Amino acid sequence: MSKYIPTIGLEVHAELRTKTKMFCDCPNNSDEIHPNTNVCPICLGHPGTLPTINKKAVEMVIKLGFALGSEISPNFKFDRKNYFYPDLPKGYQISQFDQPIVKGGQLSGVKINRVHLEEDAAKLLHAPDGRSSLVDFNRGGVPLMELVTEPDIHGIKEASAFVRELQSILRYLEISDADLEKGQMRVDAIISLTYDQRPTTNDQLGTKVEIKNLNSFRAIEEALNYEIERQSQALDSGSEIAQETRGWNDIKKITTSQRSKEQAHDYRYFPEPDLPPLTSDAFDLKAIKLSVPELPAEKRERFQKQYGLQDIQAALLVEERLMAQFFEETVSELEEENDKTASPEQVKLVFNYLTSDLRGLMAELEAGFRDMKITAENFADLIKLIASGGISSRVAKDVLRKMMETGLDPREIVKQEGLEQVSGGEELELMVKKIVEENPNAVADYKKGKTNALQFLVGKAMGALRGRGHPEVLRKLFEEELIK
Ligand SMILES: [Zn+2]
């Protein structure tokens, strides 16, 4: 264990899911594959054009503020952040400097400093030979929120867990898709090391190093881990840590120096003269507050209590809002049937079939809950069929796939395809006799005492019955047949 204690602050950017861009009417569509189609003179920064504020984007940041228990600033404004780069046609970015929309709050015990709103820059594409670059302005001017935490995190896992929880909340609030891999969410981490004890004031912090653009949870953890190692070794050898901005090289797994860390005054911030200052009472704060749904943390706790789930089970279900909703709807269908209580066995079946079978199938077919053909009512019917022994677990997998393709009621599929589980009668007895006749070697093995030969015979019969046989009943029938 290192004798140095890391202190980490995070700056998380997320593209907001508005219909149009931040200051013009161009579509905000990250799926657009044709470059430079969602553009206009405003987001291309032509002289003489004027921006207008997208109120929806402001409302989204206010909504996040309510979810984080923050203060919604009564007055806020936009500022120009001046710097030159080819992805920024105006030569400045419209951002917020000293009066952000949201101040304070907390998430997972980490204190939040602020959340502000700005416009995204365009995307640069570099030619493989390194001799030219292309600019795609589709992303230029897309509303981007930036959440800044206090330097309040002291562990690597804690940092990535914070980002995961924030991602989940942004999705619950339906304000961002927040996909790190797609660049819809981007993370910068500011890290400093102190000897032996946690700093209690900002002055006690070590030299701050910023790592830019971490675009996966793995990159966040690996980059922080590398940086803690690098700085510890430097401090051990008595060298100074440079205050700088570093980039993460995901192939070499190292951070590299990019530039000395800029200060706020480097950007010559000044109030945006083309936009009016705003007041929060111009927005329907009550309605925005009411639109905040039950958040993941509360939901996890409720799921544990209400459905008797373990914490990891609840976490898995709550990760995706629509999956949690589907789980609850399915259980409630079963409750109605049972006169108000779903048995723990039924809840367990719903959990298992939902989180493994259904989710596996969805991943295979690249389907989401939003466009799924299976209703909670039909899924509950499937669970009932399984629980009552109406179909075997093997048949259940086939039925589920059919449901996914057709949206049909599982009972109808079972009837149409003759898949009811057979747990007695002549059909099974005849099948057992037939398999015994066809497999003399396995029968001989069994009689010599090789008990797994029995499993082989049961498997043969199940195959011939297309999975419809009741495995326990088959086992018994074989045992009886083989004693004869
Ligand atoms: Zn535009």
Side-chain angles (χ1 to χ4, degrees):
M1 191 58 211
S2 170
K3 55 189 178 290
Y4 300 105
I5 292 173
T7 300
I8 301 161
L10 296 171
E11 295 178 359
V12 185
H13 285 96
E15 286 180 355
L16 298 178
R17 209 211 282 163
T18 51
K19 286 203 180 72
T20 55
K21 290 188 181 181
M22 188 61 225
F23 299 113
C24 63
D25 285 335
C26 289
N28 169 15
N29 177 11
S30 58
D31 294 329
E32 179 56 69
I33 51 163
H34 305 287
N36 296 311
T37 43
N38 294 334
V39 292
C40 74
I42 297 172
C43 56
L44 289 174
H46 288 196
T49 56
L50 287 172
T52 44
I53 295 168
N54 185 337
K55 281 196 137 192
K56 271 270 171 261
V58 178
E59 285 171 7
M60 286 176 170
V61 172
I62 293 175
K63 191 172 175 182
L64 177 63
F66 281 126
L68 301 173
S70 314
E71 180 203 339
I72 312 299
S73 306
N75 303 292
F76 48 89
K77 64 173 174 70
F78 289 94
D79 301 275
R80 287 190 182 179
K81 180 179 181 180
N82 297 278
Y83 65 96
F84 176 77
Y85 209 63
D87 60 6
L88 199 64
K90 298 194 293 289
Y92 59 85
Q93 178 192 33
I94 303 180
S95 180
Q96 295 190 283
F97 180 49
D98 53 350
Q99 290 181 31
I101 301 171
V102 162
K103 288 185 224 162
Q106 68 85 31
L107 171 60
S108 304
V110 175
K111 286 194 210 77
I112 309 295
N113 175 290
R114 61 188 270 161
V115 187
H116 70 254
L117 192 52
E118 58 193 32
E119 55 179 341
D120 207 349
K123 206 180 210 159
L124 286 176
L125 299 127
H126 304 288
D129 64 6
R131 298 183 62 177
S132 62
S133 297
L134 299 167
V135 194
D136 177 5
F137 286 96
N138 283 346
R139 201 183 69 183
V142 161
L144 193 66
M145 56 142 260
E146 180 175 351
L147 176 144
V148 181
T149 75
E150 296 291 351
D152 203 19
I153 302 170
H154 298 283
I156 295 170
K157 289 275 173 210
E158 205 186 329
S160 66
F162 175 89
V163 177
R164 212 175 276 278
E165 190 71 4
L166 176 63
Q167 180 185 56
S168 187
I169 287 178
L170 294 173
R171 290 174 177 171
Y172 264 66
L173 299 175
E174 296 182 301
I175 64 177
S176 175
D177 292 329
D179 196 323
L180 280 161
E181 278 76 10
K182 286 187 187 163
Q184 293 161 338
M185 183 152 103
R186 285 160 254 159
V187 178
D188 304 337
I190 297 137
I191 175 166
S192 65
L193 262 51
T194 40
Y195 184 73
D196 207 26
Q197 60 186 358
R198 281 188 186 188
T200 48
T201 64
N202 268 348
D203 296 340
Q204 290 174 4
L205 284 172
T207 308
K208 287 183 231 167
V209 172
E210 179 166 4
I211 321 169
K212 281 267 184 206
N213 274 328
L214 300 166
N215 58 7
S216 70
F217 291 107
R218 196 174 37 82
I220 293 170
E221 294 189 7
E222 287 176 347
L224 286 172
N225 197 29
Y226 176 86
E227 208 39 42
I228 291 170
E229 270 308 303
R230 183 186 74 86
Q231 293 185 27
S232 299
Q233 281 175 22
L235 292 170
D236 277 345
S237 68
S239 42
E240 287 234 341
I241 307 281
Q243 176 161 324
E244 61 182 352
T245 298
R246 297 176 75 87
W248 171 242
N249 185 323
D250 210 18
I251 294 158
K252 293 186 185 158
K253 307 287 177 202
I254 55 169
T255 65
T256 51
S257 180
Q258 288 184 329
R259 53 178 188 259
S260 64
K261 190 167 164 37
E262 53 288 278
Q263 308 282 327
H265 63 248
D266 294 332
Y267 290 116
R268 290 193 304 115
Y269 278 100
F270 63 86
E272 168 60 60
D274 292 337
L275 291 171
L278 295 173
T279 57
S280 63
D281 57 20
F283 295 85
D284 191 346
L285 296 182
K286 224 183 215 169
I288 298 172
K289 194 170 186 177
L290 277 173
S291 72
V292 175
E294 182 184 37
L295 295 172
E298 298 164 59
K299 206 188 275 292
R300 280 193 295 269
E301 213 181 302
R302 181 169 65 78
F303 270 31
Q304 288 184 52
K305 275 196 203 125
Q306 192 171 337
Y307 302 112
L309 296 169
Q310 289 163 9
D311 51 357
I312 32 170
Q313 292 177 318
L316 187 59
L317 284 175
V318 170
E319 208 178 86
E320 206 181 330
R321 188 178 55 88
L322 291 178
M323 177 160 62
Q325 190 181 323
F326 191 79
F327 171 81
E328 289 209 274
E329 283 171 6
T330 305
V331 172
S332 122
E333 289 285 342
L334 293 167
E335 280 171 348
E336 269 169 43
E337 185 85 4
N338 294 3
D339 223 7
K340 293 298 164 203
T341 43
S343 67
E345 291 75 30
Q346 282 179 321
V347 172
K348 202 176 152 200
L349 276 176
V350 176
F351 175 81
N352 287 340
Y353 274 88
L354 176 54
T355 55
S356 64
D357 297 81
L358 182 57
R359 272 242 295 197
L361 205 52
M362 289 170 96
E364 185 193 314
L365 303 172
E366 290 181 11
F369 281 96
R370 208 175 290 276
D371 47 24
M372 189 175 60
K373 286 189 181 147
I374 302 176
T375 62
E377 192 186 348
N378 284 347
F379 197 66
D381 283 340
L382 177 72
I383 298 300
K384 278 184 249 168
L385 276 170
I386 301 164
S388 66
I391 54 172
S392 66
S393 55
R394 193 175 129 182
V395 165
K397 286 187 201 305
D398 297 337
V399 174
L400 190 62
R401 185 177 286 271
K402 273 263 150 58
M403 289 167 75
M404 195 74 175
E405 288 163 1
T406 61
L408 282 174
D409 185 300
R411 283 171 302 200
E412 202 159 314
I413 295 169
V414 168
K415 213 157 99 193
Q416 268 178 12
E417 315 227 338
L419 295 171
E420 292 97 341
Q421 177 152 280
V422 189
S423 50
E426 216 177 20
E427 192 184 358
L428 287 194
E429 284 166 27
L430 287 174
M431 182 58 73
V432 166
K433 283 206 167 77
K434 183 166 169 270
I435 298 291
V436 166
E437 269 166 34
E438 284 173 4
N439 296 278
N441 289 343
V443 171
D445 282 349
Y446 178 74
K447 291 192 169 161
K448 271 185 242 157
K450 290 190 183 165
T451 45
N452 45 2
L454 182 62
Q455 197 47 45
F456 171 80
L457 292 167
V458 172
K460 279 273 172 199
M462 276 296 252
L465 290 160
R466 291 183 301 136
R468 292 175 305 125
H470 193 296
E472 277 313 303
V473 175
L474 276 173
R475 218 182 162 80
K476 223 171 249 157
L477 285 175
F478 271 112
E479 281 171 347
E480 286 165 16
E481 183 65 27
L482 292 170
I483 297 169
K484 283 179 189 167

